Amino acid sequence: MEGVAGDGLAKGAGVISRALAGTCAGLPDLMLRALSCLPMPRPILATIDLAALRHNLAVARRHAGARKVWAVVKANAYGHGIERALRGFADADGLALLDLDEAARAREGGWRKPVLLLEGLFTADDLPAIDELQLTAVIHHRAQIEMLAAFRPRAPIDVYVKVDTGMNRLGFAPTETSASLARLAALPGVRIVALMSHFANADRDDADAGPGAVSDQLRAFEAACRSWSGPCCLANSAALLLHPQVGGDAVRPGIALYGATPMAGRPAASFGLKPAMSLAARVLSVRMLAAGASIGYGSRWRARRSTRIGVLACGYADGYPRVAPDGTPVWIGGQRVPLVGRVSMDMITVDLTDVPHVDVGAEAELWGAHIPVDEVAEACGTVGYELLCALARRVPVAERN
């Protein structure tokens, strides 16, 4: 979004119209005329800023120093789109993601650098695709080793071996690590590329983390991997930005690449990050609400004064959190205004009393340059990750370079 009542939504409508025209090429004239009469989508638009993606990757690269950078693009690039991430993160050393569909999309989009499957293979049926797409798989359980042992790839499959140092989700226990490495090293169809682990509390100072502090996990990793002299990959966004003592040969930032903070209570801008996604909607209706009157489901909010209410074309079916409380900020008319009343499926309501010049058709920012997604998330008792990933498929998406 370019400004307070900017033309982001209008530009987005133009993008959608051009895309529709391209999709319709070759259709019969009668059908084309019918399609040209279709109304434009609801006045809501997510805009992905590719320049911000590139900027945030450069920030991560500066913190990484000589270490390689895996750009984490799981969950459809945290809601930003795999195909956009390919362009925004073109300078990354590799992509890290979750499943074969996303990996295939990356390869189809022209990505020829390494692709890391963060949870490895789920069943033996995944192995032919891993082999064909030349993917690197994280191996974290002995069952995966046995699947690899029974498979004959065209070329050795690269693997990262995950060690559980305190997260207690995935990974080999420290006592299992040496034996697991030996078993993998004995397989002719496998090449061990690196060891990795994942921090449970990298978003906190060690003094505040208690058991499971970054320093504790580092010691556990070093103890478990004494027999390994090859590369290691340890730092996520929080460790990369907050714990410079974490070494290794590669890093795998995620949320920071999208311009959101990895640490509650510290704004992303303080790390030099820029938001890559903005979510905007227009005002559908403006009405006066008498003092004492309520609005929305459950009549949660009641006016203490005569209040000018704006209804925006965004709801929980678009990915805006239903749990957003009264007072959650929205940017419109050059300033913040509070959300009032419960979020419904397709609409939210805001108090426009202090912005009398705002009327039907005005553009509001739900999150973006003026309202950080992390601030909205904090108001809702969650994290920016969740809001970005929850952007609904029905929301039109435009790009900005």
Side-chain angles (χ1 to χ4, degrees):
M1 207 171 339
E2 301 293 343
V4 175
D7 57 354
L9 284 161
K11 288 179 180 177
V15 170
I16 294 163
S17 297
R18 290 191 294 275
L20 181 62
T23 302
C24 295
L27 291 177
D29 288 345
L30 181 61
M31 187 178 294
L32 286 173
R33 286 197 295 272
L35 284 169
S36 69
C37 297
L38 289 174
M40 292 310 298
R42 289 166 63 237
I44 181 172
L45 181 70
T47 301
I48 307 302
D49 187 339
L50 299 183
L53 294 178
R54 290 189 285 268
H55 167 85
N56 296 332
L57 176 61
V59 172
R61 178 77 73 184
R62 286 196 298 273
H63 283 269
R67 291 173 288 180
K68 293 183 178 179
V69 177
W70 291 98
V72 179
V73 297
K74 61 181 179 176
N76 195 29
Y78 290 56
H80 293 65
I82 291 288
E83 290 73 17
R84 296 182 195 94
L86 297 182
R87 286 172 281 143
F89 303 141
D91 290 337
D93 297 298
L95 299 179
L97 41 73
L98 206 65
D99 57 46
L100 290 174
D101 174 67
E102 292 179 334
R105 286 166 60 192
R107 291 298 191 216
E108 289 164 7
W111 188 266
R112 295 294 174 260
K113 300 178 190 178
V115 175
L116 179 67
L117 293 173
L118 287 167
E119 292 181 5
L121 56 152
F122 300 108
T123 72
D125 292 339
D126 294 339
L127 283 166
I130 291 173
D131 185 26
E132 180 180 354
L133 296 172
Q134 296 181 302
L135 308 179
T136 302
V138 170
I139 302 303
H140 56 80
H141 193 276
R142 60 183 177 274
Q144 294 173 314
I145 299 179
E146 299 314 312
M147 294 178 204
L148 285 167
F151 183 66
R152 297 295 177 264
R154 295 177 300 177
I157 292 174
D158 288 346
V159 301
Y160 267 45
V161 179
K162 189 165 192 176
V163 182
D164 179 16
T165 57
M167 189 74 165
N168 293 322
R169 294 188 313 188
L170 301 180
F172 295 101
T175 55
E176 302 174 322
T177 300
S178 292
S180 300
L181 287 172
R183 176 77 172 111
L184 283 164
L187 300 180
V190 170
R191 185 171 77 100
I192 303 174
V193 175
L195 268 57
M196 66 182 291
S197 193
H198 195 58
F199 296 115
N201 296 293
D203 58 339
R204 294 186 246 171
D205 293 330
D206 270 13
D208 301 324
V214 167
S215 57
D216 294 333
Q217 288 194 249
L218 279 174
R219 283 192 292 271
F221 184 81
E222 291 164 0
C225 306
R226 285 197 181 100
S227 62
W228 174 255
S229 58
C232 299
C233 178
L234 296 169
N236 55 5
S237 289
L240 179 62
L241 298 176
L242 296 166
H243 296 275
Q245 77 276 18
V246 173
D249 304 275
V251 299
R252 47 183 197 279
I255 192 63
L257 298 181
Y258 305 95
T261 184
M263 180 182 186
R266 181 167 173 182
S270 71
F271 297 108
L273 303 172
K274 296 181 179 180
M277 179 195 291
S278 64
L279 180 62
R282 291 199 186 275
V283 178
L284 300 177
S285 171
V286 176
R287 64 181 58 234
M288 293 303 300
L289 201 65
S294 63
I295 192 167
Y297 289 117
S299 302
R300 182 180 76 182
W301 185 86
R302 291 187 180 277
R304 296 182 179 180
R305 59 177 180 175
S306 178
T307 304
R308 195 164 176 264
I309 295 293
V311 182
L312 305 184
C314 180
Y316 61 76
D318 301 300
Y320 196 85
R322 184 179 180 273
V323 296
D326 297 331
T328 301
V330 171
W331 182 269
I332 190 169
Q335 67 182 65
R336 291 170 174 241
V337 301
L339 180 145
V340 294
R342 184 170 294 161
V343 174
S344 56
M345 182 179 286
D346 309 303
M347 293 174 280
I348 63 173
T349 45
V350 295
D351 184 348
L352 297 179
T353 308
D354 295 333
V355 281
H357 59 286
V358 171
D359 212 331
V360 172
E363 184 175 320
E365 178 188 283
L366 289 310
W367 61 70
H370 301 94
I371 306 292
V373 68
D374 298 304
E375 185 175 353
V376 179
E378 185 176 4
C380 299
T382 185
V383 289
Y385 305 65
E386 183 177 357
L387 302 194
L388 297 175
C389 294
L391 183 72
R393 292 183 63 182
R394 76 175 190 172
V395 177
V397 180
E399 295 177 9
R400 183 170 60 228
N401 265 316

